[in-house]
């Protein structure tokens, strides 16, 4: 994608004389010149225990770890040179700034305002001290940490581009580097204006410094993050490993980065004693640093076609230069390779791989304790967890009554209610100071909650296609003493956010448009499966019009409205806010997660918060909820009008994203837990081998929506179209006829339980419980699902295969395909017999 190509170009430009100048994943134009001997030699030398870093995390037996490790390492002899051959050279700092220009692909007719520009520095020839590294965390927060930060705000307000890229110090390479830039510039000449603006802003920062309120807020935010170490959805052990590797990879102490207390106190002392402490770092590392490059990526709608023609020409030339014998050898080698790829792994070799057995797995689902109370009609859920004095709070409002025409505005509204425009009392700089001073962060979001549908026996069954509810969430975290301020910010953001900042709204819509354009090209698999689901159930329709290809069209319309008829757009945003205020207690709920002491300390603040809700009254006309029909009726109508057709969506890319899906279970049927095991098997076995290994795609997946009874196949960065669709359709026969061993089933069970039992932070546990509260999914439901997972047998695979085959063979309402890919790939697929309706993703 243009984003990734620009990012790679930036690193290459910054480090022109060392390994980082090369693409770690390989350059497609150069890979064909790699010989097997070179490939194997490289693997033997670098993918060797002498060059390894070994990391353990967990509560398993340490002695058994070493025994396992010894058994593995005993098979190897140490390399004579150890790991010295993998040491990276240092990029010597240059003494004069320079510029690099390159081209990136775009769709024809979409060249306007598609230029990227980044200003980058290699900050040092050596690694930074722990002190300076932490000081840079504060600098990053001050300069680019949020939309109100000095440098980021200046770039946004300049109107030079559509969105900020880069934006901070990176330390994951051997040498630290800093990048900041914009995409969506008018042309390559605008890049010079960007460079001047960045340098002038940095000089202003050095000259003027930071006011105490802004500095204190940034310091508080950084300290809060250090003490919390919230890894979100990333497994905690992997987060520890990731942090350690940034030093360990380069033979530095991997534990140094975790010892922040002493360093934090040192930085605080420096800040108290020297008001120019941070400015001096900016002056030395950026302004005075001449190892600075301006990397500019200009749009070229012909570059992909030119590359394709060059490739075909090169292949034809190579072929004509080969003898008949050489051509026969290639055919023979290709057949041998295909046979090897298709051959199953040696069962005896598989047995040598250490693995868990089903007996090692917990049979009980994880329990999350929850206390439910009522405060003035608002349900309050409390989860006692070890949080080190931090309160995590969510406030949820039911907005299912919203007019369907307002849904495309929800992403914009929640950004505004997260502080993007400021409030009636505070501009966005002062608002950000308040958030960072008193909390660990505040945000507004919205989402779908599909309630569980139950059969006569009380078990979960496939729900009606329009079974859903919509929730708007205010979420935040703080220490107990600041809980009142946190809840006050919730109200201020919901009820008082500025909706009339036209300039900022236009900028946010430009950012959304730019982000969607990048996402459609770099992650088309997600957009393909979203589009497939929009033909099958109401939740899919909402996902499509608020995050899919149709959303891109809506954002373009909203951007045009914001520029030409802002009063209408503002009225629609106001309608959402009035709805939120009117529904502030109706079906609302509060979610609290904290330790016992903190929960006890915030009870009065929670009561005061609930008492102050509902500051506005709204008529049906004003809140925009009953204009012509309800949301559910509108979604029902859209489903009835859906045309089940195959689609091809043209995007500027060399690869494809191939989706295929439909209905597998009917309303009222029960989807058993064994389907999760089969999903894991297809994803990590059949699809891995057929679509990724043999087909050459970068990834492939299968998903099953048990709540709605639908399925989808997808591929990621796929060179094929028709071949992948055929492999999807052959999956049913594979499940029916393949020799699937009990050991393979066990491996898939273990993989499925791993997904169910992923480590959760205290906040994650509270969020899981909150979600279950809204959907009605109980721990008993989770236990039944788990029991069925553990009880999965080979026959379940056969039964699923028969069901899948029946679904695929449907004629009237069978599965459909949706492919995001290049024009040439889609046209080739149609020449090969595929019938699909084509459209250009970016055609106006």
């Amino acid at each position: 994608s243009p984003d990734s190509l620009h990012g790679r170009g930036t690193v290459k430009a910054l480090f022109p004389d060392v390994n980082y100048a090369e693409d770690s994943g390989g350059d497609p134009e150069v890979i064909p010149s790699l010989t097997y001997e070179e490939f194997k030699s490289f693997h033997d030398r670098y993918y060797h225990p002498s060059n390894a870093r070994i990391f353990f995390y967990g509560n398993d037996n340490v002695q058994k770890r070493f025994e396992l490790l010894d058994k593995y390492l005993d098979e190897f002899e140490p390399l004579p040179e150890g790991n010295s051959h993998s040491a990276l050279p240092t990029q010597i700092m240059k003494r004069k700034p320079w510029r690099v220009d390159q081209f990136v692909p775009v769709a024809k007719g979409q060249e306007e305002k598609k230029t990227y520009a980044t200003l980058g520095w290699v900050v040092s020839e050596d690694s930074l001290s722990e002190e300076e590294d932490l000081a840079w965390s504060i600098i990053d927060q001050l300069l680019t940490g949020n939309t109100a930060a000095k440098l980021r705000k200046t770039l946004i307000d300049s109107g030079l581009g559509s969105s900020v890229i880069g934006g901070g110090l990176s330390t994951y390479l051997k040498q630290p580097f800093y990048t900041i830039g914009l995409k969506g510039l008018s042309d390559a000449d605008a890049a010079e204006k960007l460079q001047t603006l960045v340098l002038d802003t940095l000089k202003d920062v050095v000259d003027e410094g930071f006011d105490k309120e802004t500095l204190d807020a940034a310091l508080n935010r950084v300290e809060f993050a250090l003490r919390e170490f919230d890894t979100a959805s990333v497994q905690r052990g992997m987060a520890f490993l990731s942090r350690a590797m940034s030093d360990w990879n380069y033979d530095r102490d991997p534990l140094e980065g975790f010892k922040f207390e002493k360093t934090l106190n040192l930085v605080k002392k420096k800040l108290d004693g020297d008001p120019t402490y941070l400015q001096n770092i900016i002056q030395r590392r950026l302004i005075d640093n001449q190892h600075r490059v301006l990397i500019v990526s200009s749009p070229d709608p012909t570059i992909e076609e030119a590359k394709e023609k060059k490739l075909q020409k090169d292949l034809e030339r190579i072929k004509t230069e080969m003898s008949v014998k050489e051509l026969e050898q290639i055919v023979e080698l290709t057949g041998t390779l295909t046979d090897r790829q298709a051959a199953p792994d040696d069962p005896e070799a598989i047995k040598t791989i250490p693995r868990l057995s089903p007996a090692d797995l917990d049979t009980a689902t994880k329990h999350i304790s929850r206390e439910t109370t009522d405060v003035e009609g608002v349900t309050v859920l409390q989860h006692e967890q070890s949080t080190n004095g931090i309160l995590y709070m969510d406030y949820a409002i039911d907005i299912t009554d919203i007019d369907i025409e307002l849904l495309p505005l929800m992403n914009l509204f929640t950004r505004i209610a997260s502080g993007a425009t400021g409030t009636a009392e505070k501009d966005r700089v002062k608002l950000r100071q308040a958030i960072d001073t008193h909390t660990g962060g505040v945000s507004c979001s919205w989402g779908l909650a599909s309630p569980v549908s139950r059969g006569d026996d009380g078990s979960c069954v496939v729900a009606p296609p329009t079974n859903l509810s919509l929730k708007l969430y205010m979420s935040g975290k703080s220490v107990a003493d600041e809980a009142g301020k946190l809840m006050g910010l919730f109200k201020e953001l919901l009820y008082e956010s500025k909706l009339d900042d036209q300039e900022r709204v236009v900028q946010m819509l430009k950012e959304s448009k730019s982000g969607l354009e990048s996402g459609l090209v770099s992650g088309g698999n997600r957009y393909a499966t979203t589009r497939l689901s929009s033909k099958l159930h109401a939740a899919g329709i909402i996902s499509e019009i608020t995050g899919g290809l149709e959303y891109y069209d809506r954002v373009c319309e909203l951007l045009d409205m914001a520029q030409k008829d802002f009063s209408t757009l503002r009225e629609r945003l106001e309608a959402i806010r009035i709805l939120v205020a009117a529904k502030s207690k109706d079906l609302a709920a509060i979610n609290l997660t904290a330790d016992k002491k903190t929960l006890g300390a915030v009870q009065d603040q929670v009561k005061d918060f609930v008492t102050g809700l509902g500051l506005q009254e709204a008529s049906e006309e004003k809140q925009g909820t009953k204009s012509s029909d309800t949301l559910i009726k509108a979604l029902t109508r859209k489903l009835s009008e859906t045309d089940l057709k195959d689609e091809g969506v043209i995007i500027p890319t060399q690869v494809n994203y191939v989706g295929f899906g439909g209905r597998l279970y009917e309303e009222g049927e029960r989807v058993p837990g064994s389907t999760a095991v089969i999903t894991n098997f297809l994803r990590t076995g059949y699809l891995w081998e057929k679509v990724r290994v043999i087909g050459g795609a970068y990834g492939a997946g299968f998903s099953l929506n048990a709540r709605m009874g639908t399925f989808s196949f997808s591929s990621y960065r796929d060179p094929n179209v028709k071949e992948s669709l055929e492999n999807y359709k052959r999956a049913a026969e594979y499940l029916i006829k393949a020799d699937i061993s009990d050991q393979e089933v066990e491996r898939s069970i273990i993989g499925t339980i791993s997904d169910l039992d992923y480590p959760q932070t205290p906040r994650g546990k509270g969020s899981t419980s909150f979600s279950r509260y809204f959907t009605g999914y109980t721990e008993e439901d989770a236990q039944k699902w788990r029991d069925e997972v553990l009880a999965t047998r080979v026959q379940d695979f056969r039964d699923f295969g028969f069901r899948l085959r029946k679904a695929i063979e449907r004629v009237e309402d069978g599965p459909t395909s949706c492919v995001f890919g290049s024009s040439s790939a889609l046209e080739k697929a149609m020449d090969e017999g595929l019938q699909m309706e084509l459209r250009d993703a970016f055609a106006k």
Side-chain angles (χ1 to χ4, degrees), residues 138-157 164 201 205 209-211 213-215 217-218 221 415-416 418-423 426-436 493 501 504 507-508 511:
I138 302 171
I139 292 172
D140 276 345
Q141 186 66 25
L142 289 164
L143 293 182
T144 58
N146 53 72
T147 57
K150 177 68 174 180
L151 182 54
R152 188 179 186 88
K153 183 177 184 298
T154 300
L155 291 178
I156 291 172
D157 293 347
V164 175
T201 304
V205 166
F210 303 100
D211 63 77
E213 291 80 6
T214 301
L215 181 57
R221 189 61 180 268
R415 281 193 68 182
I416 291 172
S418 296
T421 59
T423 63
K426 303 179 184 75
D427 63 24
R428 70 181 198 257
V429 174
K430 292 297 182 183
L431 178 61
R432 179 50 57 182
Q433 287 178 357
I435 291 172
D436 288 349
L493 288 164
D501 189 340
R504 184 73 185 107
Q507 185 62 44
M508 286 190 287
E511 291 173 1

Side-chain angles (χ1 to χ4, degrees), residues 294-534:
L294 177 63
I295 172 74
V296 183
S297 298
S298 299
D300 183 352
T302 67
I303 192 170
E304 293 298 336
E305 183 179 352
K307 285 182 178 180
E308 182 67 26
K309 287 182 178 178
K310 181 179 181 300
L311 174 62
Q312 293 302 322
K313 185 176 180 180
D314 289 345
L315 289 175
E316 289 173 6
R317 174 182 54 78
I318 293 171
K319 184 177 179 180
T320 58
E321 293 173 354
M322 298 178 74
S323 66
V324 174
K325 185 177 181 180
E326 287 173 325
L327 289 171
E328 290 174 347
Q329 287 177 335
I330 285 181
V331 172
E332 183 180 349
L333 285 171
T334 301
T336 302
L337 175 61
T338 302
D339 291 342
R340 285 186 181 180
Q341 290 174 326
D345 293 322
D346 182 357
E348 295 304 315
I350 292 176
K351 289 179 182 178
T352 66
I353 301 174
R355 64 184 181 89
L356 296 172
S357 72
D360 297 315
L361 304 176
D362 290 335
T363 58
T365 193
K366 305 295 183 184
H367 172 68
I368 302 174
S369 61
R370 181 175 78 194
E371 179 183 339
T372 304
T373 58
D374 182 278
V375 178
E376 295 186 19
V378 175
T379 301
V380 179
L381 281 64
Q382 301 190 71
H383 305 90
E384 186 179 324
Q385 297 284 334
S386 178
T387 62
N388 296 321
I390 295 174
L391 169 72
Y392 297 100
M393 178 174 174
D394 305 289
Y395 166 52
I397 306 165
D398 188 274
I399 57 168
T400 311
D401 284 343
I402 193 170
D403 190 308
I404 192 171
E405 293 303 317
L406 296 179
L407 282 177
L409 281 161
M410 283 304 302
N411 295 329
L412 176 62
F413 179 83
T414 53
R415 281 193 68 182
I416 291 172
S418 296
T421 59
T423 63
E425 296 293 325
K426 303 179 184 75
D427 63 24
R428 70 181 198 257
V429 174
K430 292 297 182 183
L431 178 61
R432 179 50 57 182
Q433 287 178 357
I435 291 172
D436 288 349
T437 298
H438 301 294
T439 77
V442 177
S443 64
C444 181
S445 61
W446 73 281
L448 288 159
S450 298
V452 167
S453 189
R454 299 194 180 277
D456 294 337
D457 63 352
S459 61
C460 299
V461 297
V462 173
T466 55
N467 187 46
L468 58 79
S469 64
L470 297 182
K471 307 293 179 184
L472 181 134
Y473 302 92
M474 288 301 303
S475 303
K477 51 192 175 183
S478 73
V479 295
D481 291 344
E482 299 284 7
K485 293 285 181 62
L486 173 68
M487 297 176 204
L489 285 165
F490 276 14
K491 290 181 184 177
E492 183 176 357
L493 288 164
L494 272 180
Y495 303 137
E496 300 177 26
S497 288
K498 293 179 64 177
L499 304 179
D500 58 355
D501 189 340
Q502 181 179 10
E503 182 179 351
R504 184 73 185 107
V505 167
V506 167
Q507 185 62 44
M508 286 190 287
L509 288 170
K510 286 182 178 179
E511 291 173 1
S512 296
K513 180 174 179 285
S514 177
L516 286 163
E517 288 169 347
S518 298
L520 285 162
V521 175
S522 63
N525 53 317
R526 182 174 69 84
Y527 291 91
T529 54
T530 296
R531 199 150 179 86
L532 290 171
S533 70
S534 70

